[in-house]
Amino acid sequence: CQDDRVFTVFEGHVTQSGDIRVDKPGTTDPCIIIRPSDTAGQVDIKNGAGDTVLVIDDGDRNLYFFDKGDESISGDGTDLDIKSGNDIKLSPTTAVLVATDKPIRFGDSGENIQGDGTDITIASGNDIKLTPTTAVLVDTSKPIRFRDTALSINSPVDGQLDIVSDKYVRINSKNFTVTGSVTGSFISASGAITAKTFEVDDTISRTGDSDT
């Protein structure tokens, strides 16, 4: 910078019409440059290489990154807005921590994810859609429950799938085909049941066809 000045400020303020440069200790190599922009009311904060890192505009109180583009952080005294021209990437060393009773909302308060320190709740104003590239994987032996613990689907061991119900398991299909064996104490069907082996300990009731 031309006409460099050295400021030692204990109390008060610094007035400077050009750049304010913060050098590395014991050198004249700049590590931070505060430069007034050609745009009125705007100040650019640059690194030692002269690349803009932050932009402050006294007109909108936003804190901009890289340049005065679409990446900014702003606050209104209550809410904090983080804006991005593309993605917002979070790369913590350990985790992204949300206070236990605070939801993460999508769109409006109708769609949110919330935890209470034990359970996590996913709420939706309509459907919850899962679109994995490969599969939805459930940890071994952990059930998917419906209403309460009496209705569930789970895999207690590798190679086995259990459908548990305290009353009925109803499959509403025109045809029901099983490639292995069927064993039960009471089986009722109104359509066709096809199975390699069909065993009933108690009662079978049908109004359609049964192929065994």
Side-chain angles (χ1 to χ4, degrees):
C1 300
Q2 295 180 353
D3 300 327
D4 287 350
R5 300 177 186 177
V6 178
F7 299 95
T8 302
V9 181
F10 297 98
E11 184 178 354
H13 61 275
V14 175
T15 301
Q16 166 71 354
S17 60
D19 292 353
I20 297 177
R21 190 181 74 192
V22 179
D23 293 341
K24 297 177 183 178
T27 73
T28 57
D29 298 328
C31 57
I32 298 176
I33 302 172
I34 303 174
R35 176 172 298 170
S37 173
D38 293 335
T39 303
Q42 180 175 312
V43 175
D44 299 338
I45 300 177
K46 301 176 179 289
N47 59 20
D51 301 320
T52 301
V53 178
L54 300 174
V55 177
I56 300 174
D57 190 323
D58 66 354
D60 55 19
R61 296 186 181 180
N62 291 357
L63 179 63
Y64 294 92
F65 298 85
F66 187 72
D67 56 17
K68 193 178 178 183
D70 296 326
E71 300 81 31
S72 66
I73 296 177
S74 62
D76 60 6
T78 302
D79 297 328
L80 182 67
D81 291 338
I82 302 176
K83 298 179 181 179
S84 172
N86 199 350
D87 298 328
I88 296 177
K89 299 179 181 180
L90 304 176
S91 54
T93 302
T94 305
V96 176
L97 182 61
V98 178
T100 55
D101 59 345
K102 302 299 186 293
I104 299 175
R105 295 175 178 171
F106 303 88
D108 53 31
S109 57
E111 296 81 33
N112 64 78
I113 299 176
Q114 184 173 354
D116 60 7
T118 302
D119 299 326
I120 186 169
T121 301
I122 302 176
S124 172
N126 199 353
D127 297 330
I128 296 176
K129 299 179 181 180
L130 303 176
T131 56
T133 302
T134 305
V136 177
L137 182 62
V138 179
D139 190 19
T140 57
S141 78
K142 301 299 187 296
I144 299 175
R145 292 174 177 168
F146 304 86
R147 298 179 183 271
D148 53 36
T149 57
L151 299 169
S152 65
I153 299 174
N154 77 307
S155 176
V157 295
D158 187 22
Q160 179 178 330
L161 181 66
D162 289 356
I163 302 176
V164 180
S165 172
D166 55 349
K167 287 189 177 180
Y168 303 103
V169 174
R170 178 175 294 175
I171 301 175
N172 187 5
S173 176
K174 184 177 180 181
N175 297 302
F176 182 54
T177 302
V178 181
T179 56
S181 61
V182 176
T183 303
S185 59
F186 180 83
I187 298 176
S188 176
S190 59
I193 298 178
T194 303
K196 183 178 180 181
T197 304
F198 198 86
E199 299 178 6
V200 179
D201 297 334
D202 189 0
T203 305
I204 181 169
S205 173
R206 68 176 179 85
T207 58
D209 298 326
S210 177
D211 296 329
T212 60

